[in-house]
Amino acid sequence: SQQGEEDPQALSIQEGENATMNCSYKTSINNLQWYRQNSGRGLVHLILIRSNEREKHSGRLRVTLDTSKKSSSLLITASRAADTASYFCATDAGATNKLIFGTGTLLAVQP
Amino acid sequence: ETGVTQSPTHLIKTRGQQVTLRCSSQSGHNTVSWYQQALGQGPQFIFQYYREEENGRGNFPPRFSGLQFPNYSSELNVNALELDDSALYLCASWGEDYGYTFGSGTRLTVV
């Protein structure tokens, strides 16, 4: 079963706009990670935020984590057509580093 | 470019057959995990191996089995294939330095 839900399921924006995706999860976590997937291929690791962190930046990416609400958001600023992909959040909750993925957000950036 | 290699890229099998999928992990990564991703869904954890021993398993039946070898390669075996086994199968290795690295996946179609 999936750990969490992502919202929205699909998002279409123009190049240059910002894209925000949200993720909710159910159990306590060690960390939360965001991944990108192009056309059903492999997952690319974007960013990891630990449970004691509230915000993290990496290039055009900004991730927030609210453990009291069990939610996270991913902001992509100044989007590009190449950002078109599916984005997944994944939580790492146990000692075995098993990841539990959300349902994903399909982002389409129109040139 | 990912340090995790999966083969084959695509595979078509008949219901009832058996299949072996292969993964070559990054050197030094002692932990390898396998995930199943059905179309339009997030990846789901199948099992994980650490130093050639299974140390975590998701909600998958025993006909899903695996092996990990000393040279950082691993296999996922599925017996008695069912139509619902059609999916993208992802291998991921975990290391202290970077966390998870995913392969590009094997697309299995069961007809």
Side-chain angles (χ1 to χ4, degrees):
Chain A
S1 62
Q2 307 285 164
Q3 156 76 296
E5 298 289 328
E6 293 185 59
D7 173 62
Q9 287 188 335
L11 178 62
S12 181
I13 59 175
Q14 296 294 124
E15 213 167 21
E17 294 180 335
N18 295 341
T20 299
M21 291 161 259
N22 302 296
C23 166
S24 62
Y25 57 91
K26 298 174 184 174
T27 65
S28 297
I29 61 172
N30 295 328
N31 63 67
L32 185 144
Q33 303 171 38
W34 285 89
Y35 289 83
R36 185 184 73 218
Q37 185 176 43
N38 290 86
S39 301
R41 298 306 294 169
L43 295 163
V44 175
H45 181 269
L46 297 176
I47 196 166
L48 179 152
I49 186 165
R50 301 188 190 283
S51 59
N52 61 352
E53 297 175 310
R54 292 296 169 257
E55 187 170 314
K56 202 161 183 180
H57 297 254
S58 176
R60 294 184 296 113
L61 305 179
R62 172 178 169 254
V63 170
T64 62
L65 179 65
D66 187 337
T67 53
S68 67
K69 295 181 180 179
K70 292 187 169 58
S71 67
S72 174
S73 68
L74 171 66
L75 169 68
I76 304 174
T77 60
S79 63
R80 305 166 182 168
D83 294 329
T84 295
S86 290
Y87 291 82
F88 293 91
C89 67
T91 53
D92 180 349
T96 59
N97 302 114
K98 173 179 90 172
L99 290 179
I100 302 178
F101 284 83
T103 51
T105 293
L106 179 59
L107 173 65
V109 181
Q110 310 297 331
Chain B
E1 184 175 316
T2 180
V4 176
T5 305
Q6 292 187 243
S7 63
T9 305
H10 294 85
L11 196 55
I12 300 175
K13 303 290 281 186
T14 302
R15 189 171 50 183
Q17 286 187 317
Q18 178 266 344
V19 69
T20 298
L21 309 182
R22 294 182 172 81
C23 173
S24 176
S25 304
Q26 292 192 191
S27 178
H29 284 197
N30 294 316
T31 301
V32 66
S33 304
W34 286 88
Y35 290 81
Q36 180 196 65
Q37 186 178 20
L39 199 61
Q41 300 293 317
Q44 298 223 16
F45 176 76
I46 302 174
F47 46 56
Q48 178 170 283
Y49 280 78
Y50 174 71
R51 294 190 174 180
E52 302 163 51
E53 296 284 335
E54 183 180 299
N55 76 336
R57 190 175 186 92
N59 189 25
F60 282 81
R63 59 190 185 84
F64 285 78
S65 63
L67 286 171
Q68 185 186 26
F69 303 101
N71 65 352
Y72 306 109
S73 66
S74 63
E75 290 180 354
L76 164 64
N77 298 289
V78 187
N79 293 322
L81 283 167
E82 300 176 0
L83 297 179
D84 285 348
D85 296 333
S86 295
L88 180 69
Y89 288 85
L90 296 161
C91 165
S93 69
W94 187 86
E96 289 281 354
D97 54 345
Y98 189 72
Y100 280 99
T101 302
F102 279 83
S104 296
T106 294
R107 171 85 49 197
L108 172 66
T109 302
V110 182
V111 297

